[in-house]
Amino acid sequence: MAIADVAEYAHLTKDEVEQLGREFDAIRAEIEESRGAKDAAYINKVITTQRWMAAGARIGMIVSSPFPRARKPVLAASAVTLGLAKILENMEIGHNVMHGQWDWMNDPEIHSSTWEWDTGQPAEQWKHSHNYIHHQFTNVLGVDNDIGYGVLRMAREQKWTPVALGQPVYNALLAALFQWGVALHDLDLEAIRKGQKDPEEMKRQLKQIAKKGRNQILKDYVLYPALSGKEWKSTIKANATANLMRNIWSYLIIFCGHFPDGALHFTEEELEDETRAEWYLRQIFGTANIEGGPLFHVMSGNLSYQIEHHLFPDLPSNRYAEISPRVQALCEKYGIPYSSGPLHRQYGQVLRTVMKLSLPNKMTKDDRPPTGADITIEHRRKAEEERQIRRTELGGWSRSAS
Amino acid sequence: MTWERVRKAADKLTTPLLPDDYLTLINPLWSSRELRGRVEQVIPETEDAATLVIRPGWGWRYDHRPGQFVGIGVQVAGKYQWRSYSVSSPPVKSGRTLAITVRAMPEGKMSEHLVRGLKPGTIVRLATPAGDFVLPDPPPAKTLFLVGGSGITPVMSMLRTLDRRNTMGDVALHYSSTTPERMIFRTELHELAARHPGLKLHERHTDTDGIFGWDGLDHLCPDWRERETWACGPAPMLDAVELHWAAAGLADSLHLERFSLAVTGDGGEGGTITFQNSGKEIEADGATTVLEAGEKAGVGMPYGCRVGICHTCTVTKISGTVRDLRNGAEFDQPNEQVQTCVTVPVGPCTLNL
């Protein structure tokens, strides 16, 4: 079941919602004002650490190859270090830089317009599918392609077909091959299946993906193994392990941000005349946090603060920790649920949904709180001309809001 | 060239980064991705001015023309701030450093930081030399330099070049400063004048002697009409010089360098946006975003949400000012990254598109 009007669902008056919006705007303004040398030092330190880790791991794999006795432990340590480096690069660095979180530094080398990340998907396509489609239309059925990524049925409103029976298998495959799932994401598999994709655009995107993917594969599975000489096979294994580590970890964090029971869905009616304050409200209802220690937050790219990230996608990630208690206090004040839990609980709920939704709705019980009309949505992204209209409207509210 | 080829081949190992991104872990200057430099020395010149000796990193070519300026980007409170300063060192092909001389301006946070807050070892960003306030090669037979205050810096680069190449010729230098102590390069100028009989140095200390009246020029330098003239200094001085030369019908032999930016037109919003790479130009009013204007001009603008969230539309603004519609913040730094979907031009501006 999905929400058609977020303000009504939250039992808030129009004025209360707008007041809440102003409180969020105030937090944003305060953080923007206080960005400075400490934040810049933080991201530079993370980048330097990550690059040393990656370089160390690669060099370790090469120089240990002629020494049979040292090979095993060095290779194992290198594989793990490379995996951690890839996780850091993709999540705390790449994802956040591409969101424009560090654009304020005016550093052309750490900038959303120039960053390219260490994964199969070209940055340009990611910025469209993620920054725009997902963050603008978060959890709106039929519009946000992140609800199941066109592969899984993650909302009861999505039509059941016998194909869904294989969900547990698709889910495991998606986790293991997450990098490539993400790489194909902006193609919009759903649109292709329905023949709604512009073939010219698809060709352009595929070419871009092929070029990027080729370089990624060449690096991990041809060049570095070749540099390890006779030990090439074990280097391939080590690199595959590193990529698998990164794939499973990023899959886990991302799924736990949007698919636990506390993250709700919306119908397209919600988007009509939605104000910026209502957009904020939808972000809170549509996302969930994961609890953990400071290192856990860094390794998850601070996406464990998924609610804060969705409210302020372009504020520096190292500040989400201090924003979080303020957001919680506001949620309490306005009586809005703030969905948060440890990784095992959040993922447990995700897995349960994957399993349950592989079956038709009538065979299972809904775990989410009742939200609204029981409707069925054909998953379909808005036609291009309709989206153009929506863009202009949004431009209007954003400006008049401040 | 082989080195270039090795680095290019190494691309495949470091993709999607460049080998330079890893080499900078060892030495921050080993990168040609962005022009960088390391501050080697900060030499005090006067109480409020200092010369920064900078060692440029890879990719820098020591071929600036005497009188040109360079852009320097320094991280202040986490943010790269860009300013332009005249190069005061002469161009030397085999050089390893370049020097700029900066005076701390009252209210000038950045110049204050450069003069007093910059420690040797700091890594800065550089932009290639630019500007047409330059000395031709070979130099004219008779030259007049009119200098006010820190306007001496580009002229110093020219004088040092003339000295190095031993082509000083007949040069008159009129140098105004409030007091002798605030006169940058005073000692070096005295030495130059002692060595080159052709160089006539005239100093004026405006605190005691008052401001120079241009009617006095006939007396000070009777043949000024025959001289190719370069003038650099505060705006009122340059305005007076410009008028004086125009009145004599000699505007063609006068070269000016203005340090202070002209105040933006009538203070109203809107302006002409120039797209550097495509050469397109469009007039935009204060309600049309840079993105909308660019699209109207037929430029392939990057865009995403169009409401300032996704940063897909961010591009480099080379010069000019834009205002953020959301909060009124103005972005007036050269080489600044701006979100085109939520900004409007304030006066003319140029984008790297």
Side-chain angles (χ1 to χ4, degrees):
Chain A
M1 275 160 271
I3 302 168
D5 185 333
V6 70
E8 193 186 298
Y9 176 74
H11 300 295
L12 293 173
T13 66
K14 208 171 163 45
D15 287 345
E16 282 168 335
V17 175
E18 292 309 309
Q19 176 60 31
L20 177 64
R22 280 191 290 274
E23 305 220 38
F24 284 131
D25 281 341
I27 294 177
R28 160 181 283 278
E30 206 184 302
I31 298 290
E32 279 179 345
E33 191 59 38
S34 64
R35 289 178 302 206
K38 257 171 82 180
D39 303 288
Y42 170 78
I43 191 64
N44 277 294
K45 197 176 128 198
V46 174
I47 290 174
T48 306
T49 307
Q50 187 273 333
R51 287 184 185 167
W52 274 118
M53 283 167 71
R58 301 283 194 190
I59 292 168
M61 289 185 204
I62 296 170
V63 300
S64 67
S65 49
F67 306 105
R69 283 185 61 191
R71 177 67 178 170
K72 255 199 174 150
V74 174
L75 192 71
S78 297
V80 171
T81 310
L82 185 62
L84 294 175
K86 280 179 182 261
I87 286 171
L88 262 184
E89 200 282 338
N90 285 183
M91 305 185 81
E92 181 65 343
I93 305 171
H95 168 269
N96 293 339
V97 169
M98 285 190 292
H99 259 297
Q101 294 186 2
W102 302 98
D103 285 4
W104 61 274
M105 296 196 300
N106 198 26
D107 183 338
E109 290 182 31
I110 309 176
H111 199 277
S112 62
S113 61
T114 57
W115 196 270
E116 190 55 79
W117 58 345
D118 185 13
T119 179
Q121 191 180 38
E124 182 194 313
Q125 295 187 27
W126 171 257
K127 282 185 275 190
H128 176 259
S129 66
H130 180 81
N131 290 10
Y132 173 51
I133 301 287
H134 171 59
H135 275 271
Q136 190 73 39
F137 307 114
T138 315
N139 279 28
V140 177
L141 292 157
V143 187
D144 180 2
N145 293 332
D146 279 27
I147 310 175
Y149 303 94
V151 180
L152 297 176
R153 180 172 180 254
M154 293 306 288
R156 299 180 84 83
E157 291 80 359
Q158 289 169 328
K159 229 165 88 183
W160 184 87
T161 61
V163 178
L165 287 168
Q167 283 222 128
V169 180
Y170 314 150
N171 179 54
L173 282 174
L174 186 60
L177 300 170
F178 199 58
Q179 149 169 231
W180 302 109
V182 171
L184 302 177
H185 188 38
D186 196 40
L187 288 172
D188 196 347
L189 304 180
E190 197 72 31
I192 295 172
R193 220 176 297 154
K194 296 210 163 78
Q196 291 163 342
K197 180 91 184 176
D198 172 18
E200 274 303 303
E201 177 64 6
M202 183 156 96
K203 226 170 96 187
R204 191 188 73 83
Q205 287 186 319
L206 278 173
K207 246 168 106 175
Q208 214 179 19
I209 296 168
K211 191 172 163 225
K212 176 99 193 274
R214 195 179 58 219
N215 280 334
Q216 290 293 107
I217 291 172
L218 188 70
K219 171 178 75 166
D220 281 341
Y221 300 113
V222 179
L223 294 180
Y224 280 108
L227 288 174
S228 308
K230 271 196 286 193
E231 286 294 329
W232 60 275
K233 265 192 203 155
S234 55
T235 298
I236 287 183
K237 265 188 227 157
N239 288 346
T241 309
N243 278 321
L244 185 66
M245 266 174 76
R246 183 269 320 274
N247 285 353
I248 291 177
W249 182 251
S250 45
Y251 155 87
L252 265 180
I253 298 299
I254 289 169
F255 270 58
C256 289
H258 286 290
F259 305 129
D261 297 340
L264 308 178
H265 296 120
F266 300 84
T267 66
E268 279 182 71
E269 281 82 45
E270 165 59 24
L271 291 173
E272 279 165 26
D273 302 319
E274 188 182 57
T275 65
R276 180 162 181 81
E278 286 164 349
W279 176 84
Y280 275 135
L281 206 49
R282 173 157 56 86
Q283 303 308 316
I284 299 179
F285 276 108
T287 46
N289 280 10
I290 317 167
E291 290 158 6
L295 187 64
F296 171 77
H297 290 304
V298 172
M299 292 314 288
S300 74
N302 279 296
L303 294 175
S304 40
Y305 291 111
Q306 189 74 211
I307 297 174
E308 287 73 19
H309 172 59
H310 261 267
L311 288 170
F312 310 111
D314 57 357
L315 289 185
S317 58
N318 62 324
R319 306 299 284 275
Y320 289 153
E322 68 177 89
I323 297 174
S324 176
R326 302 177 63 178
V327 172
Q328 286 181 55
L330 281 176
C331 284
E332 203 163 310
K333 181 173 155 192
Y334 287 87
I336 306 161
Y338 182 93
S339 174
S340 182
L343 185 65
H344 61 88
R345 197 170 79 207
Q346 304 296 69
Y347 189 66
Q349 295 180 352
V350 172
L351 208 54
R352 185 170 61 187
T353 302
V354 170
M355 302 294 180
K356 278 192 174 178
L357 293 193
S358 64
L359 300 170
N361 284 354
K362 58 176 182 290
M363 296 174 68
T364 58
K365 210 177 104 260
D366 194 357
D367 298 305
R368 294 174 202 275
T371 46
D374 196 356
I375 42 163
T376 305
I377 301 258
E378 280 276 314
H379 188 89
R380 170 185 80 90
R381 197 200 288 175
K382 280 275 174 190
E384 197 64 33
E385 59 273 20
E386 286 173 76
R387 268 196 280 138
Q388 285 298 346
I389 295 165
R390 175 168 305 144
R391 278 193 184 123
T392 319
E393 286 164 0
L394 292 170
W397 62 245
S398 176
R399 265 171 242 156
S400 59
S402 51
Chain B
M1 276 306 101
T2 359
W3 175 233
E4 285 296 313
R5 225 174 286 159
V6 171
R7 262 162 70 208
K8 192 123 185 88
D11 270 8
K12 294 281 174 233
L13 291 175
T14 58
T15 184
L17 295 175
L18 298 174
D20 296 17
D21 294 318
Y22 288 96
L23 290 169
T24 50
L25 294 174
I26 305 166
N27 183 334
L29 294 186
W30 290 353
S31 170
S32 57
R33 226 187 112 166
E34 295 289 326
L35 290 174
R36 295 158 171 239
R38 182 172 55 221
V39 178
E40 301 277 87
Q41 266 183 295
V42 181
I43 307 165
E45 295 287 352
T46 66
E47 210 169 74
D48 58 355
T51 292
L52 309 177
V53 180
I54 296 166
R55 167 104 190 246
W58 288 353
W60 184 265
R61 296 166 59 203
Y62 296 84
D63 58 355
H64 72 268
R65 299 172 64 196
Q68 282 192 310
F69 56 83
V70 291
I72 174 168
V74 179
Q75 218 167 9
V76 183
K79 188 180 172 187
Y80 274 97
Q81 308 268 1
W82 284 83
R83 294 288 184 281
S84 293
Y85 290 102
S86 299
V87 180
S88 52
S89 54
V92 183
K93 275 237 175 65
S94 59
R96 295 170 71 82
T97 58
L98 95 153
I100 59 171
T101 303
V102 181
R103 165 161 284 163
M105 306 304 274
E107 307 281 309
K109 266 193 197 149
M110 174 75 165
S111 58
E112 180 75 31
H113 179 75
L114 290 176
V115 172
R116 300 187 217 283
L118 211 55
K119 290 196 180 64
T122 307
I123 299 297
V124 297
R125 294 274 157 79
L126 297 170
T128 44
D132 43 19
F133 185 75
V134 292
L135 194 65
D137 188 21
K142 296 177 94 177
T143 321
L144 170 62
F145 293 113
L146 298 170
V147 170
S150 56
I152 188 67
T153 51
V155 172
M156 201 62 213
S157 177
M158 298 182 189
L159 288 172
R160 284 170 173 166
T161 307
L162 292 173
D163 176 46
R164 252 182 68 86
R165 297 183 183 156
N166 213 1
T167 50
M168 190 61 84
D170 183 353
V171 176
L173 167 61
H174 175 66
Y175 185 4
S176 284
S177 175
T178 47
T179 64
E181 291 73 36
R182 274 172 62 85
M183 224 168 209
I184 306 172
F185 303 129
R186 188 157 155 255
T187 322
E188 189 179 344
L189 286 169
H190 288 169
E191 284 166 15
L192 276 180
R195 226 165 337 120
H196 298 278
L199 172 62
K200 282 174 223 52
L201 172 63
H202 181 258
E203 293 173 50
R204 188 178 182 94
H205 309 302
T206 52
D207 273 5
T208 47
D209 309 342
I211 291 201
F212 184 69
W214 294 104
D215 315 332
L217 196 60
D218 284 327
H219 175 71
L220 186 74
C221 182
D223 60 352
W224 64 272
R225 287 178 182 81
E226 297 156 30
R227 290 175 182 268
E228 195 80 7
T229 302
W230 278 266
C232 186
M237 170 196 144
L238 296 182
D239 292 343
V241 171
E242 203 168 15
L243 274 176
H244 199 70
W245 258 253
L250 292 168
D252 285 348
S253 64
L254 177 67
H255 312 267
L256 290 177
E257 178 84 319
R258 288 181 185 275
F259 273 168
S260 43
L261 270 178
V263 182
T264 328
D266 53 3
E269 290 179 356
T272 309
I273 306 169
T274 310
F275 299 90
Q276 183 178 261
N277 302 341
S278 53
K280 286 179 177 152
E281 236 184 58
I282 190 165
E283 209 30 62
D285 61 26
T288 308
T289 62
V290 175
L291 176 60
E292 289 163 354
E295 287 173 337
K296 219 182 279 168
V299 180
M301 307 286 291
Y303 70 95
C305 69
R306 302 179 86 97
V307 294
I309 293 174
C310 74
H311 291 260
T312 312
C313 67
T314 304
V315 300
T316 308
K317 168 183 62 69
I318 295 163
S319 65
T321 303
V322 297
R323 180 177 297 152
D324 192 320
L325 282 171
R326 296 171 298 180
N327 49 19
E330 293 205 347
F331 298 89
D332 55 2
Q333 306 260 319
N335 295 317
E336 198 165 21
Q337 307 287 335
V338 296
Q339 281 176 276
T340 59
C341 73
V342 287
T343 51
V344 293
V346 183
C349 61
T350 305
L351 299 180
N352 185 20
L353 260 180

